Every structure is written in structure tokens, then in C-alpha cells.
Amino acid sequence: MEILRYPDRKEWKALTSRALASQAAQVTATVRSIMDDVASRGDEAVMDYEERFTGKRPAELVVTAEEIDCAASKLTAELRTAIEAAARNIAAFHRAEVPEPVEVETTPGVLCMQRPVAIEHVGLYIPGGNSPLFSTVLMLAIPAKIAGCPHIAMCTPAGPDGTIHPAILYAAKVAGVDHVYRTGGAQAIAAMTYGTDSVPRADKIFGPGNRYVMEAKQQATLCGCAIDMPAGPSEVLVIADSEANPLFVATDFLSQAEHGPDSQSILLTTSEKLLDTFPDILDKLLSRLPRRDMMMHSLEHSRIILLHDDAEMMEFSNLYAPEHLILNHRDAGRLCGMVRNAGSVFVGPWSPESAGDYASGTNHTLPTSGYARAYSGVNIDSFMRKITFQRLTPEGIASLAPTVIAMAEAESLDAHALAARVRTSDYK
Amino acid sequence: MEILRYPDRKEWKALTSRALASQAAQVTATVRSIMDDVASRGDEAVMDYEERFTGKRPAELVVTAEEIDCAASKLTAELRTAIEAAARNIAAFHRAEVPEPVEVETTPGVLCMQRPVAIEHVGLYIPGGNSPLFSTVLMLAIPAKIAGCPHIAMCTPAGPDGTIHPAILYAAKVAGVDHVYRTGGAQAIAAMTYGTDSVPRADKIFGPGNRYVMEAKQQATLCGCAIDMPAGPSEVLVIADSEANPLFVATDFLSQAEHGPDSQSILLTTSEKLLDTFPDILDKLLSRLPRRDMMMHSLEHSRIILLHDDAEMMEFSNLYAPEHLILNHRDAGRLCGMVRNAGSVFVGPWSPESAGDYASGTNHTLPTSGYARAYSGVNIDSFMRKITFQRLTPEGIASLAPTVIAMAEAESLDAHALAARVRTSDYK
């Protein structure tokens, strides 16, 4: 962990930059061959890769309705209740995000409209591994359902015993996923990119994954499929003043660290005292947490930075463009207005990142690696297109034609001019 | 031109598919070396490539305010008026698209918000070549300005005499572009991706271009820069019934054909009569248009398809997902409700594509190659991020904590659970 006091502004660029993951050539090539193979051999290829990578050939890619229905009984009532409560909040927030149609008569007789229309085929990817990311099922499937996507498919790998974690299946049921497929890794992304007999082709693929999954999603974008956003390690930037409870700050810091060894946590503060006491508090908490070793790795590239004032802290934060920004500050409301670049912002001492990671209602699929400068987190727009429509009357085209003709001719596009001209009364 | 009568449904997939441009390895490599060179040598490298590719080294990349101010006097009053009229309509429509903030208390004491925030640094690319695409300047810069983007930069190549077409500069001034740079091709995209002494780094790059520009934009996405959307040849699908004026249909068809030899026009109709008369009408018009030869190329891969009824035509269109969809049909309003996949829709006989290309108010930067299945055309959202905020009260986190803790522990993320627990009164 690096502790910096009043770093020179010339160093800020380096302090806020992240190494963009350039994929090893071997990963790119492996994924390319999996993609091509699935494109040509479909389900057979998917099955072959499942067998090769997991040691077990799935009997069937489609998860049966019975298996999904059984999931509830394998969870504690407490967890079921929690999943349902989170789903309600996520639904309430995303429902409020649904855009309205727009209609403007820009010139008499020229009516222009913009209508949101749901994407038809949505593919969700949920990784396997140690942590069953059922929260991500909610974060992707609930807005897809609210947007009105008619076909929501989900791929997720089975565990060593051939079954899928019941919390993932239960979340899929609660959120309204239409079909679940038992496959993971690049072969799952390939199946959604090209479509197979079992797995439908997706117009857009969402969800996290390892570097093979990420590379496959990148390659999918070259095959006519859209993806949610580019991915990178998770990160948090905490802004804390002298009133911030160090215990709150430390748990937020460590929440980020436990996401993975490449996660980054940054603390900005104007408080010398917090700077001095913070490392000890972290150490004490660390000793009590099971993922201690992995968190130590993550903390190696974390930073605690002392700055002069609020304006400097906000400037640094906007330069970093954090995925998660926590404003643990007496004046958090005012600082909100200064946020230019961030994925999601947690305002005041009572708003830990984990609230938004699971249950408050905001989405947890957010832009990392500085992509918050240009990308939004997943939201209802991610599942829709805004299609424009225009309807002109004879009077509308008559009054617009001189403009269209002058511009088209100046761009040497004569047929464009002609298409306007033939619709006016002076065309012979 | 292919004429098909009632093609079998099994052929529809082939009839609606486009070859996705896979870039030649040589293009990828050339662009990679230009990108790397500009990243390391900045303006010097940009100047070198300008010299190499145009035969002329620009004295200065920055276009002076004087040069921009002089542009107006080089245009006819008619063209100036047209540009201003188009700009007003585009502004009126895009202003109506500006999203509202969202605020929901999902649980008592848990306030979730979504606020639209403009992207800080926007880079626009306008190609040179035979047609000065000043209309694209309006389509990109006006929404950027309305979104509130504080820094709008534009790169465009100079002509053989070292100057930029005055219509491009005038449109830039009308639309509110902050700075114009005299550079084109992959070196312009590289300059905006990495930033140089002259050209500021862009968070997101917009605009059309040749395959070097497109490849450079793709590579920019791997360097932390976002782009508007993937690109492909322009296309139109016209749906016409027996009442459609064949002259209107033919001029719309040819408008598309004149965009370039790889443009595609498709006509769907239920009218045998239109099918029979259409080729002759096209021929007559063609003989009168200056870009005849290029249009003949484009028409080679165009199709006229006779189908049984409206439902079939709409189904085919949704499968194709056209960039432009023209509904020249007595019942166009009803067909609008059946549009699932399209970039922009032109409703009724009086709405030629050229109206939307220039002046009605809708945007003309639209998804091609079937990308309309997942992408919107450029709109006000393209220039903003929707940042989420949440503010919890002590009561809010107290009531949310059991949900957060149950879910975090089930995902084996104990620090996440702890961050919620320390904020409740039962933490010791």
C-alpha cells in the first residue's frame, strides 16, 4: 500500500492511470479457434469444450424448468427473502429509468419522433467459480425484463457435480430469465454470438467473466453482436474528511480488495489523522477476514493520498473516473454536484458500496479502468434502442425541400436532392 | 439487381445477411503502427503522416479562428440559410431528447438517483474527399453542444490546397465546435485517442471515414477511448404497396445507391405492378444522374422482393434490421408499430430519406449492417453518461443490512457484509 502526502500535480496523471489489459496473443488465438469452432459445429463444439475444460460432458445444455423450480428449496428462507427484497428495489429503480417517447414538430408538417424499443434477443453470462454471482443475475435480467426484451437467455457453467448453484437459478427465476444454458467460458459467449441448436443467438451480450470470456466478448463485437461494456478490474475511490468514521472507510476499502487480487482501492483524504490511523485499522480488520491473502495482494497496488482540500480531491477523482466513488464527507451532498466522471456514487457515511452491489436498487455493472469517462453503467437504456421516426406532410416536405436540395447539391448527392424535388409541386 | 418473387422463408436469412467487413491484415498493421507512432511522437508524427499521405506538410494543425470566420463569406447565401435551417431543426429535436434525472426512494431511507452528465472531451471526425460532409458536422456537434459537452474538438483533412472546405468550417461554427484540427485518416483518430500537444485526447470519438479511419476507431476502443458505433456500408429498405408513387420509390432507392458502390437498397412490395415497372423507372432516372456509374455498382447487390402481405414485409424488414426504413404505404402509421429493428424510419409517401439525412431534425448517424438490432443511432445519450447516486440514512442502511449481509455471505464476500454490519447498531 502506497501512502502519499500532497503528491505533485505532475504525478497525478500517473497516479490515476490504469494499465489497460492487453490480452496475451495466446488468449486471443485460443478464443478465436473456439469461436470459429462453435460457429461451424454448434452444440457439438460447445459440448466438446465443456468436456475439455471441466472434465465432464454435459448431458444436455438446456437447464430444465424442473431443475430451476427445485432451486428454491435448496436455499435458506433468509437468502430467498434477501434475493426477493433486492429484486424489488432493483426493479423499482430501473422501472423509473424507462425513457419516454419524444415527439417534436420541428417545422410545420415535419413530425420527428424517438421511440424506445427493447432489444429482441439478450444473452446474459454469469460466471461460475467460487462465488456464485446471483446478484449479477438480478442486475442484468431485471432491467432486461422491465425494458421488455422478449427473449432473455442466460449461460452459466455447472459446478463439478454438473449442477448450477441454486441461488443463481433462483435469481434467474425471480428476475424472469426465459432460458438457462449449462455452459461457461468462451464457448458460452461463442454460442450466444452465433447461436446453436440449443442456445439462441443474442443481439447483445452482458456480464462479467475471466479473460477468456472478456476476449470472446470483444471478438463477438466484430461478429455483429453488441456487448455491455469493456471490462477491467473493479475499483473504488473513497473521499473521506476528518469526520469520517475510519471503521466505515476501512470496510469499504476492503470490500473492494476482496473482489480480486487486481482490484484497486484509493483513499483520498484531507485528514492527517485518518492517514495516520488508517493502516492499523485495516490490519486489524484484515486479520479477521477469510480472504486475507488475496486482499493483501490487492492492497499492494492501493493508495492512500493526502490532499489539500475538497476541490483537489474532486479533481483527482474526476481524473481517475472511478467505477465506485464513496463520498464519506460531512458535505457529501455538495461534492455530488462536482462529480464529472464516475460509475456510481455512494453519498454520505451510511452508504457503503455493498448497498449498491446488492440491494439498494442501483446497478452494479459499472465502467472500470476509466471507462466512466465515456460509458454509463448498465441501465435500462442498455436493453433498448431509441429508434427515430419521421412523418412529413406534403406541406412539410415542400417547406423542407429547399434546405434539403441546397445541402444535398453542395455535398454532390444529386439523387438525394431529386428525392426531395420529386415530392414538390414544381417538379416536372 | 436481383428481382425475387415470393422467396422461400428458408432463403430469408441469406437474403437479410450482410458480409461483415473483416479488415485486411495489412490495414490493421498499418493503422497499428500509425497509432503507436502518434502515441509516442505526437504532433510530429501526425505531421509526418499528413505529409506522406497528402504530399503536403501542414504548417499548423490548429485551424485559426480567422480561417473559420472567413468560411461564411465563401458560401452562397442560399447554402448558409440551408445550414442554419437544418441546424435549428436538429437542435429542436435533440433538445427534446435530453433525459431527466431519476430519483426513487426504493426503501425508506434508501434514495437512489440517476443523473445524466455530459462527456467531457468529445472528438469528432469529418472525412475529406469529394463530398464535404458538412451535414455530419451538424449531426455530431449539435447534440454534443446540447448535451453540455464542455470540450468539442473536430479533426478533418485539408484539401490539396491546404484549406478545409468552407461549408465544413461554417457548419462547425454554427454547431458550436470549440476547435478544429487540420488532419485526417488514422493519424487524426490516433491524435484524438492519445492526445498530442495540439489535439486534445477525446473520451469518445464520433464520425464516419474510410477503412483506415474505421480500423483506427476500433483500435481506439482498446486504448480506453469509446466510439459512437461500428460502421458498415449505408443501406435502405423501402416497403411500398400498390399505392406508392414509383417515382418516389425510385429516387429513394437511388439516394442510397449514390452513397457508395457498397451501399445496399432493398425494395419490398406486395405489388406485382410496381415490381414490373420499377426497373424501367430506375433506368430513366439513372441516365440523368451524374454518379451513374457508381450507382450501377451499388445496384448490382440491390434487391427487389415481392412478398405476400404486410406482415411478411415487416417480418423481413425486422430480420434485416435496416439502417433506414421507408414505409411508403397507405397504412404506414400502423406498420410503425410493428418496427422492431431499424435505425431510422421514414413514414408515408412524403418522407424521403434525404429529409432525415439533412434537415428534418433526426440524426443521420445510424447503425448499419444489422447493428440496429442492438444499437441506437447517435442521439443525445451518445454524448452523456448516466451516473447513479445513492444516499442512505442510518435507518435506510439498518433496514437494508440484513439483505446485503445475507447475499454477501452467500457470495463469500465477507468484507461486503462487514461494511454493512459496522453501520448498524448491533455491531460490536
Side-chain angles (χ1 to χ4, degrees):
Chain A
M1 200 163 59
E2 207 177 354
I3 299 181
L4 298 155
R5 287 160 192 271
Y6 309 118
D8 194 286
R9 263 165 195 269
K10 275 176 281 184
E11 291 171 44
W12 284 22
K13 201 181 164 196
L15 288 172
T16 54
S17 76
R18 280 80 119 196
L20 281 174
S22 78
Q23 217 54 272
Q26 172 264 329
V27 174
T28 305
T30 302
V31 169
R32 185 68 266 160
S33 76
I34 294 172
M35 297 283 284
D36 291 344
D37 198 13
V38 171
S40 67
R41 294 197 303 123
D43 281 340
E44 271 306 301
V46 175
M47 297 278 205
D48 287 352
Y49 290 110
E50 283 298 321
E51 187 171 5
R52 186 187 305 176
F53 298 134
T54 70
K56 197 157 175 177
R57 194 177 184 85
E60 181 60 74
L61 290 177
V62 182
V63 177
T64 62
E66 200 191 345
E67 191 173 340
I68 297 171
D69 288 338
C70 281
S73 65
K74 295 177 187 157
L75 303 181
T76 63
E78 189 195 13
L79 184 54
R80 283 202 306 270
T81 306
I83 289 173
E84 290 155 16
R88 273 195 304 275
N89 287 349
I90 295 164
F93 186 58
H94 288 77
R95 223 177 279 127
E97 290 174 10
V98 175
E100 291 293 320
V102 171
E103 206 172 295
V104 181
E105 194 172 8
T106 55
T107 292
V110 179
L111 185 66
C112 296
M113 296 158 278
Q114 186 198 50
R115 295 184 190 163
V117 177
I119 294 175
E120 299 256 281
H121 292 273
V122 164
L124 313 181
Y125 182 74
I126 304 296
N130 301 324
S131 307
L133 295 183
F134 57 86
S135 60
T136 304
V137 178
L138 303 181
M139 294 293 177
L140 299 178
I142 290 173
K145 197 78 190 171
I146 290 171
C149 300
H151 306 285
I152 306 172
M154 184 176 110
C155 287
T156 190
D161 64 351
T163 68
I164 292 166
H165 195 291
I168 287 181
L169 292 180
Y170 187 66
K173 194 183 160 85
V174 167
V177 171
D178 296 305
H179 296 287
V180 181
Y181 303 94
R182 199 188 315 273
T183 173
Q187 63 271 28
I189 304 299
M192 294 192 279
T193 302
Y194 299 109
T196 69
D197 286 343
S198 301
V199 182
R201 186 191 174 287
D203 298 321
K204 189 169 182 177
I205 298 174
F206 296 78
N210 63 20
R211 61 203 175 120
Y212 290 91
V213 168
M214 290 305 151
E215 173 63 24
K217 282 175 68 185
Q218 279 294 343
Q219 293 189 16
T221 64
L222 304 175
C223 306
C225 196
I227 63 170
D228 46 1
M229 70 185 82
S234 190
E235 58 202 25
V236 71
L237 188 145
V238 182
I239 288 182
D241 66 0
S242 59
E243 280 188 12
N245 181 332
L247 182 62
F248 293 8
V249 178
T251 54
D252 291 337
F253 211 76
L254 292 178
S255 292
Q256 198 53 50
E258 80 179 335
H259 272 296
D262 51 3
S263 291
Q264 185 171 49
S265 306
I266 291 182
L267 169 61
L268 305 183
T269 186
T270 46
S271 162
E272 285 265 7
K273 197 177 155 211
L274 180 62
L275 194 80
D276 292 339
T277 55
F278 193 68
D280 272 357
I281 296 170
L282 269 191
D283 274 347
K284 267 186 215 139
L285 285 173
L286 261 179
S287 64
R288 292 164 44 183
L289 288 164
R291 292 198 179 192
R292 186 174 186 279
D293 291 346
M294 191 261 282
M295 288 157 101
M296 298 290 284
H297 267 293
S298 164
L299 290 176
E300 274 169 27
H301 42 262
S302 289
R303 296 191 174 113
I304 306 178
I305 305 176
L306 187 67
L307 293 173
H308 291 102
D309 52 35
D310 296 346
E312 266 197 3
M313 292 197 289
M314 290 308 299
E315 202 186 328
F316 189 100
S317 174
N318 283 326
L319 206 59
Y320 183 75
E323 181 192 12
H324 305 97
L325 170 60
I326 298 180
L327 301 173
N328 194 338
H329 191 285
R330 77 195 79 179
D331 219 2
R334 183 175 54 84
L335 299 194
C336 278
M338 299 160 76
V339 173
R340 304 296 308 171
N341 298 320
S344 193
V345 186
F346 300 78
V347 187
W350 306 103
S351 311
E353 187 197 309
S354 53
D357 283 345
Y358 289 111
S360 61
T362 60
N363 210 289
H364 79 193
T365 304
L366 296 166
T368 57
S369 308
Y371 281 108
R373 283 189 286 263
Y375 287 84
S376 309
V378 163
N379 63 79
I380 212 79
D381 291 344
S382 313
F383 300 93
M384 308 190 98
R385 283 86 28 88
K386 291 184 172 171
I387 303 180
T388 50
F389 294 77
Q390 60 201 283
R391 179 162 208 155
L392 280 68
T393 62
E395 297 70 37
I397 185 65
S399 71
L400 207 61
T403 299
V404 171
I405 293 167
M407 292 176 76
E409 288 180 349
E411 287 191 355
S412 320
L413 293 174
D414 298 275
H416 282 66
L418 190 60
R421 192 172 279 128
V422 297
R423 284 164 163 102
T424 61
S425 55
D426 48 312
Y427 178 73
K428 300 283 170 278
Chain B
M1 202 162 58
E2 205 177 356
I3 299 181
L4 298 155
R5 285 161 193 270
Y6 309 119
D8 193 286
R9 261 163 197 269
K10 275 176 281 183
E11 291 171 44
W12 284 22
K13 200 180 165 199
L15 288 173
T16 55
S17 76
R18 280 80 120 195
L20 282 173
S22 78
Q23 216 54 273
Q26 172 264 329
V27 174
T28 305
T30 302
V31 169
R32 185 69 266 160
S33 76
I34 294 172
M35 296 284 283
D36 291 344
D37 198 14
V38 171
S40 67
R41 294 197 303 123
D43 283 340
E44 271 305 301
V46 175
M47 297 276 206
D48 287 353
Y49 289 111
E50 284 297 322
E51 188 171 4
R52 186 188 306 176
F53 298 134
T54 70
K56 196 159 178 174
R57 194 177 184 84
E60 181 59 74
L61 290 177
V62 182
V63 177
T64 61
E66 200 191 344
E67 191 172 339
I68 296 171
D69 288 339
C70 282
S73 67
K74 295 178 187 153
L75 303 181
T76 62
E78 187 196 15
L79 185 55
R80 282 202 308 270
T81 306
I83 289 173
E84 289 156 15
R88 273 194 304 276
N89 287 348
I90 296 164
F93 186 58
H94 288 77
R95 222 177 278 124
E97 291 174 8
V98 175
E100 291 293 318
V102 171
E103 206 171 294
V104 182
E105 194 171 10
T106 54
T107 292
V110 179
L111 186 66
C112 296
M113 296 157 277
Q114 185 198 51
R115 295 183 190 165
V117 177
I119 294 174
E120 300 255 280
H121 292 272
V122 164
L124 313 181
Y125 182 75
I126 303 296
N130 300 325
S131 307
L133 295 183
F134 57 88
S135 60
T136 304
V137 178
L138 302 180
M139 294 293 177
L140 299 178
I142 290 173
K145 198 77 191 173
I146 290 171
C149 300
H151 306 285
I152 305 172
M154 184 176 110
C155 288
T156 191
D161 65 350
T163 68
I164 292 166
H165 195 288
I168 287 181
L169 293 179
Y170 187 66
K173 194 181 160 87
V174 167
V177 171
D178 297 305
H179 296 287
V180 181
Y181 304 94
R182 198 188 318 272
T183 173
Q187 62 271 26
I189 304 300
M192 294 193 277
T193 302
Y194 299 109
T196 68
D197 287 343
S198 302
V199 183
R201 186 191 172 288
D203 298 320
K204 189 167 182 177
I205 298 175
F206 296 78
N210 64 19
R211 62 203 175 122
Y212 290 91
V213 168
M214 289 306 150
E215 173 64 23
K217 282 176 68 185
Q218 279 293 344
Q219 293 189 17
T221 64
L222 304 174
C223 306
C225 196
I227 63 170
D228 45 1
M229 69 185 83
S234 190
E235 60 204 23
V236 71
L237 188 146
V238 182
I239 287 181
D241 64 1
S242 58
E243 280 188 13
N245 182 332
L247 182 63
F248 292 8
V249 178
T251 54
D252 290 338
F253 211 76
L254 292 177
S255 292
Q256 198 53 49
E258 80 179 334
H259 272 298
D262 51 3
S263 291
Q264 185 171 50
S265 307
I266 290 183
L267 169 62
L268 305 183
T269 186
T270 46
S271 163
E272 285 265 9
K273 194 177 156 211
L274 182 61
L275 194 80
D276 292 337
T277 54
F278 194 68
D280 271 357
I281 296 169
L282 270 189
D283 274 347
K284 268 187 214 133
L285 286 172
L286 263 178
S287 64
R288 293 164 44 184
L289 288 163
R291 291 197 179 192
R292 186 174 185 280
D293 291 346
M294 190 261 282
M295 287 157 102
M296 298 290 284
H297 267 292
S298 164
L299 289 176
E300 274 169 27
H301 41 265
S302 290
R303 296 193 173 110
I304 305 176
I305 305 178
L306 186 68
L307 293 173
H308 291 101
D309 53 34
D310 296 347
E312 266 198 3
M313 292 197 289
M314 290 309 298
E315 203 186 327
F316 189 100
S317 175
N318 284 326
L319 205 59
Y320 183 75
E323 180 191 14
H324 305 97
L325 169 61
I326 298 180
L327 301 174
N328 195 337
H329 191 286
R330 76 195 81 180
D331 220 2
R334 183 177 54 84
L335 299 192
C336 278
M338 299 160 75
V339 174
R340 304 297 307 170
N341 299 319
S344 194
V345 185
F346 299 78
V347 188
W350 307 103
S351 311
E353 188 198 310
S354 53
D357 282 345
Y358 289 110
S360 61
T362 60
N363 210 288
H364 79 194
T365 305
L366 297 166
T368 57
S369 308
Y371 281 107
R373 284 190 286 264
Y375 288 83
S376 307
V378 163
N379 63 79
I380 212 79
D381 291 344
S382 314
F383 300 92
M384 307 190 98
R385 283 86 28 88
K386 291 184 172 171
I387 303 180
T388 50
F389 294 76
Q390 60 202 282
R391 180 161 210 156
L392 281 68
T393 62
E395 297 70 35
I397 184 66
S399 72
L400 207 62
T403 298
V404 171
I405 292 167
M407 291 176 77
E409 287 181 349
E411 287 191 354
S412 317
L413 293 173
D414 298 274
H416 281 67
L418 189 60
R421 191 172 279 127
V422 297
R423 285 163 162 104
T424 62
S425 55
D426 49 312
Y427 177 72
K428 299 283 169 276

